[in-house]
Amino acid sequence: LRRSHPARHAQLHQLAAQWCAGHGQPAQVLRHAVAIGQPGQAAQLVEQAGAINIDLADGPDRCLQPALTPAQAGALPLLFLSQVYQLIRRGHPLQAQGLFEQACAATDNFQRIDPHADTEHVTAWAELMRLVFASNQDRRIDPAHVQVMQDALDAQLPRHTVLAIGLASVLTYCHVQDWRFRQALTLGNVAMHVHPLANADKAAVFLRLHQGFAALASTSLAQATDYIVDAQQLALRHGHALSYEVLSTQMMRAVLHVENNEPELAMALLEPALRHVRNINGWLTLHAEAVWVAADIAGQLQGLDAAERYISAGEAYAHERGWPRLLVLMQVARIRQLTAA
């Protein structure tokens, strides 16, 4: 049908997208919208279905083309934020931040948007993005910004549960970075009580990952493993082998394998993850743990030169991302390997 009657094929996808929109199936709206062939109609359908809310729920890894410009962010704010997020998760945080800042200037920080849009909902997503950019730059999050996120979570939880899970994920990250492990575990568990209602699987992946970090640091390996296994299952439910969600969970699961004295299982997960790390987003602590563990295992099994390859790759990545703290950690890893040798 696509070859013999392309107009009819596109029309069927448009009808399917409209039907799915009216029957509570936003992920299917996106799947059909990308095949319509009419960017304006497709953009409106995906915007009305929730756009970025689909990305962090159970939606496919697909983006509408052509991409919106910052000048269009006011008319289609959720879709624009979705495109920013897709750039982040595909390993282009600087490009994403540049477009986001241009859109903020064009919309007065997403206050001047389409009158039919939910301004509170949109601005909460925008604040979440700001926090993600700060974490990508390895900056300590301003406590006032954390409180803004907490207030947004309290406001959004009853009405927009996908957004709420996303907010809970970044707040859990903030707690972990400040060593507030008990708060991270508690907040994550409270948020996961609403997860089945939201089906926010992709957002919940990172919530569970941050809880895994917190549990490993403060409670037990067994509890950390429970969180990370849950994260892996959620990631594999919707992600492909090289997706942001799957590779992130592989790196953290590898750390747990080492804690459980299973180096071969750890390397089986780390090698493909580190090989493709430039194609995904990431945060410093996760990457540092992964490289440190890989260097340790390589040093033990193959010698100093093998460990050095991972450390040098970690330094190169630190320069690319602008992470001076990772450079310091790689120097410590090198001293550790030299001492062991």
Side-chain angles (χ1 to χ4, degrees):
L1 184 62
R2 183 187 297 113
R3 290 192 299 269
S4 59
H5 298 285
R8 180 60 175 163
H9 177 263
Q11 184 182 30
L12 286 174
H13 276 293
Q14 181 179 352
L15 291 172
Q18 291 169 340
W19 186 91
C20 291
H23 289 80
Q25 299 180 32
Q28 295 302 326
V29 173
L30 177 56
R31 287 186 173 93
H32 289 292
V34 296
I36 288 175
Q38 299 183 37
Q41 288 187 352
Q44 287 292 343
L45 284 166
V46 175
E47 174 74 20
Q48 292 165 11
I52 191 171
N53 294 276
I54 304 173
D55 297 332
L56 284 158
D58 57 349
D61 290 338
R62 299 181 184 178
C63 299
L64 293 181
Q65 297 296 334
L68 301 180
T69 67
Q72 296 172 286
L76 299 161
L78 293 176
L79 181 57
F80 182 83
L81 292 170
S82 167
Q83 293 178 351
V84 168
Y85 176 67
Q86 290 296 341
L87 283 171
I88 293 170
R89 67 187 299 278
R90 286 173 166 78
H92 305 290
L94 295 180
Q95 181 185 357
Q97 186 169 2
L99 292 170
F100 176 79
E101 290 175 352
Q102 291 177 50
C104 287
T107 62
D108 191 18
N109 291 319
F110 289 91
Q111 294 296 318
R112 289 190 289 107
I113 57 177
D114 184 276
H116 297 100
D118 182 338
T119 302
E120 184 180 359
H121 182 63
V122 171
T123 54
W125 275 117
E127 288 299 323
L128 187 154
M129 288 293 171
R130 287 192 178 89
L131 198 149
V132 169
F133 290 131
S135 68
N136 276 334
Q137 296 166 2
D138 192 36
R139 299 202 317 260
R140 185 175 184 274
I141 309 302
D142 184 346
H145 197 176
V146 174
Q147 187 59 53
V148 169
M149 292 292 93
Q150 183 63 59
D151 294 342
L153 174 59
D154 294 341
Q156 297 296 326
L157 188 58
R159 299 184 294 128
H160 298 292
T161 48
V162 175
L163 172 56
I165 296 294
L167 291 166
S169 177
V170 296
L171 282 168
T172 303
Y173 166 85
C174 292
H175 287 317
V176 170
Q177 296 306 303
D178 281 348
W179 293 21
R180 297 191 296 267
F181 303 125
R182 185 186 298 274
Q183 292 96 318
L185 294 172
T186 300
L187 174 61
N189 288 334
V190 169
M192 287 301 289
H193 280 298
V194 305
H195 167 249
L197 301 176
N199 199 26
D201 288 356
K202 292 182 180 179
V205 167
F206 299 102
L207 182 61
R208 285 306 201 201
L209 278 176
H210 301 321
Q211 285 188 289
F213 266 104
L216 185 61
S218 64
T219 57
S220 68
L221 176 60
Q223 187 178 25
T225 301
D226 287 343
Y227 287 132
I228 301 307
V229 168
D230 192 23
Q232 278 190 298
Q233 291 172 344
L234 291 168
L236 291 169
R237 188 179 299 171
H238 302 291
H240 55 82
L242 300 181
S243 70
Y244 177 30
E245 295 80 14
V246 170
L247 292 179
S248 297
T249 57
Q250 281 185 201
M251 286 190 277
M252 189 58 194
R253 185 67 191 275
V255 172
L256 299 186
H257 278 309
V258 169
E259 293 289 334
N260 207 36
N261 196 28
E262 298 168 330
E264 293 83 3
L265 292 176
M267 285 302 282
L269 295 174
L270 280 174
E271 286 181 348
L274 291 175
R275 194 161 55 244
H276 295 283
V277 73
R278 285 173 174 79
N279 300 324
I280 62 169
N281 190 43
W283 56 100
L284 187 147
T285 47
L286 177 63
H287 194 77
E289 288 277 2
V291 176
W292 188 289
V293 163
D296 264 1
I297 297 172
Q300 293 167 16
L301 299 180
Q302 300 172 355
L304 183 59
D305 288 345
E308 177 61 29
R309 285 194 291 273
Y310 286 103
I311 295 169
S312 296
E315 287 177 326
Y317 188 66
H319 283 295
E320 291 172 19
R321 293 295 301 267
W323 284 346
R325 191 159 62 100
L326 182 58
L327 284 172
V328 173
L329 291 171
M330 292 300 96
Q331 292 169 6
V332 173
R334 181 174 287 116
I335 293 169
R336 175 185 171 90
Q337 294 305 316
L338 289 168
T339 302

